[in-house]
Amino acid sequence: MVCNAHGCPVDCKFDEWSEWSECSKSCSTGNRTASRALITSPQWGGQPCDGGVLRTEYCNEQPCPEDCAWGEWSHYSVCSKTCGGGEMLRSRPRISEMYGGHPCSGNETESIECSTQGCPQDCRWGQWTDWSSCSKECGGGYIKRLREVLQKAENGGDPCFGSNMQEAGCNFDVCAQDCSWNDWEQWAPCSASCNGGTRSKSRTKKAEAANGGMPCVGNRTQIEKCSVEPCPVDCTFELWDSWGDCSTSCGKGSRFRTRVKKEELYGGAPCQDVMWEASDCSNPDSSSCPAHTTSTTTLLTLLKLPEGELAWSHLHNVWEPQASRGPLAIPSQNDLSKNFTESKDPSYRGQAYKPCPEGELDKMRLGMSEPVRE
């Protein structure tokens, strides 16, 4: 008989484990596996296989990152104001990030405007200023103070009541009244039209001093000089001097007399007469006259013609008074001692001038007492 006809025991045999597979999760614990092939199954009482062809283990056991997350928004709150602009708020819960997760973006709360209509604003006064000075020093004046509106009434607010100014009386004592004058009246006419007169003007009191007031200063009347310019003085003559001696000692001759003229002043009227005059004369003692002397003697006047020549003319023709010729100048004392003079009357219209005979001019200048005969 056959014995031990079965085969020898064959143990179970596995191949080497493969590499671990990738983890089924990147975090929060996943699984991974490795495998091996069964090379020989156990036979005839060989050792059984220890384990299977697969094995599993945990991997990536660290917690996964958790990003921040927002919850649902709440309802808006009641408006913070009833007017003038308030806000309503709402919020949402936040789940914070973990293990390196991303933070939340956005706000946890948000607001919107509400009650934007203006609030009723009552009028409001500022502080009073200091009282002013009294408007009068006496006799009753007033003081006042002011205030300004700081806030005007708006949106149906109450208006300001009262005035922006207050007044009060002050300085009720009676005033002292100073004396005062009315304006001066017009000047009265001058007492003289020339040579200095006086004129006056007056004024009256407007108010007398009262209650200790100051008296009036100054006079009721005022006097001043007037018409101080000299009065016009007309031309006048003094009395005639005595007649001079007759120009001849015998027969018929001529004589003259003079008077002093006072010229007009300050616009007075000029004189209209001559300053000297001549007349015929004769010597009462004619016993010394030659019997044959019968010719007429005429006093001559030496004239200066416009061309510068000298001539002579009858005296009575030259000095015949004529109002149309106007006043004549006073002859010099030297001229009056002679029987000739230079004519100073260019308006002369008498007998034509005659040239002086030779030799007679020198005699005239030497002041001969004998007259020149025609």
Side-chain angles (χ1 to χ4, degrees), residues 232-299:
V233 178
D234 296 339
C235 173
T236 59
F237 287 105
E238 294 185 358
L239 297 176
W240 287 102
D241 291 339
S242 301
W243 285 101
D245 296 334
C246 193
S247 61
T248 181
S249 60
C250 62
K252 189 176 181 180
S254 298
R255 63 179 181 173
F256 67 88
R257 65 179 179 176
T258 63
R259 58 181 175 178
V260 175
K261 179 178 73 174
K262 295 182 179 179
E263 296 284 353
E264 69 275 6
L265 298 173
Y266 315 119
C271 289
Q272 300 295 326
D273 206 348
V274 297
M275 294 182 296
W276 68 322
E277 63 182 3
S279 69
D280 294 336
C281 63
S282 61
N283 196 319
D285 184 11
S286 61
S287 60
S288 60
C289 294
H292 62 276
T293 303
T294 60
S295 60
T296 301
T297 302
T298 302
L299 186 64

Side-chain angles (χ1 to χ4, degrees), residues 175-348:
C175 291
Q177 177 176 294
D178 295 338
C179 176
S180 60
W181 294 104
N182 286 312
D183 293 336
W184 286 101
E185 298 176 355
Q186 297 293 325
W187 286 103
C190 192
S191 63
S193 60
C194 55
N195 277 353
T198 59
R199 64 176 184 175
S200 63
K201 64 179 180 180
S202 61
R203 58 181 176 178
T204 58
K205 288 183 178 180
K206 181 185 295 185
E208 294 286 352
N211 303 317
M214 298 297 294
C216 281
V217 178
N219 298 322
R220 186 181 298 271
T221 59
Q222 183 176 343
I223 300 174
E224 69 175 11
K225 293 182 179 179
C226 57
S227 300
V228 295
E229 64 277 1
C231 291
V233 178
D234 296 339
C235 173
T236 59
F237 287 105
E238 294 185 358
L239 297 176
W240 287 102
D241 291 339
S242 301
W243 285 101
D245 296 334
C246 193
S247 61
T248 181
S249 60
C250 62
K252 189 176 181 180
S254 298
R255 63 179 181 173
F256 67 88
R257 65 179 179 176
T258 63
R259 58 181 175 178
V260 175
K261 179 178 73 174
K262 295 182 179 179
E263 296 284 353
E264 69 275 6
L265 298 173
Y266 315 119
C271 289
Q272 300 295 326
D273 206 348
V274 297
M275 294 182 296
W276 68 322
E277 63 182 3
S279 69
D280 294 336
C281 63
S282 61
N283 196 319
D285 184 11
S286 61
S287 60
S288 60
C289 294
H292 62 276
T293 303
T294 60
S295 60
T296 301
T297 302
T298 302
L299 186 64
L300 301 180
T301 300
L302 184 65
L303 303 174
K304 179 179 287 186
L305 301 181
E307 293 80 7
E309 299 176 350
L310 295 176
W312 51 269
S313 179
H314 296 82
L315 177 63
H316 69 276
N317 286 334
V318 175
W319 295 107
E320 180 180 358
Q322 293 185 17
S324 61
R325 296 210 312 259
L328 303 177
I330 300 174
S332 66
Q333 196 66 32
N334 186 39
D335 290 337
L336 294 178
S337 66
K338 303 176 184 179
N339 290 329
F340 64 93
T341 183
E342 288 187 3
S343 174
K344 299 181 181 179
D345 183 12
S347 63
Y348 170 73

Side-chain angles (χ1 to χ4, degrees), residues 98-110:
M98 297 177 66
Y99 313 119
H102 296 293
C104 288
S105 60
N107 297 321
E108 189 171 356
T109 61
E110 66 178 9

Side-chain angles (χ1 to χ4, degrees), residues 31-54:
N31 296 313
R32 65 179 181 175
T33 62
S35 64
R36 59 184 176 178
L38 178 62
I39 297 175
T40 303
S41 298
Q43 295 180 9
W44 304 295
Q47 290 295 323
C49 291
D50 183 11
V53 294
L54 293 175

